[in-house]
């Protein structure tokens, strides 16, 4: 369900399937308050969905090479954390 401002999530963690992203996602799952709407995002759909399912979070597929997908991801949340990059 989306809020009146169109944001489905309170927080999106982008780059969730990388080494640092996985650590951050697991920590986030351990400490997130009840009711905080969180999604994991990344470009590799299979591993992303598997991790999101394990942690009880939603998954958003987005690749930095696809500006429209990145914009959609950013517009879906109040806070965007990124661990993606070289």
């Amino acid at each position: 369900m989306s809020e009146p401002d169109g944001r489905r999530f309170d927080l999106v963690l982008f780059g969730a399937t990388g080494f640092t992203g996985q650590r951050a996602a697991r920590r986030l799952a351990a400490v997130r308050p009840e009711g905080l709407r969180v999604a994991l995002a990344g470009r590799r759909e299979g591993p992303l969905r598997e991790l999101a399912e394990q942690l009880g979070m939603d998954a958003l597929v987005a690749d930095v090479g696809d500006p429209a997908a990145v914009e959609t991801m950013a517009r879906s949340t109040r806070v965007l954390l990124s661990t993606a990059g070289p």
Side-chain angles (χ1 to χ4, degrees):
M1 175 186 317
S2 58
E3 292 296 310
D5 66 1
R7 299 181 194 275
R8 293 177 46 207
F9 305 106
D10 298 310
L11 187 147
V12 171
L13 174 62
F14 182 56
T17 58
F19 177 79
T20 303
Q22 285 185 43
R23 292 181 61 110
R26 292 184 193 290
R27 181 66 181 152
L28 182 58
V31 301
R32 98 174 151 171
E34 180 88 21
L36 187 70
R37 299 168 304 157
V38 178
L40 303 180
R43 62 184 165 85
R44 299 181 316 150
E45 185 173 7
L48 177 65
R49 294 207 185 278
E50 184 178 323
L51 180 62
E53 185 176 307
Q54 286 173 7
L55 300 178
M57 298 179 188
D58 288 300
L60 296 174
V61 177
D63 187 322
V64 294
D66 180 353
V70 173
E71 182 175 350
T72 298
M73 173 186 61
R75 289 184 183 276
S76 74
T77 189
R78 297 179 188 288
V79 175
L80 178 63
L81 298 175
S82 178
T83 59

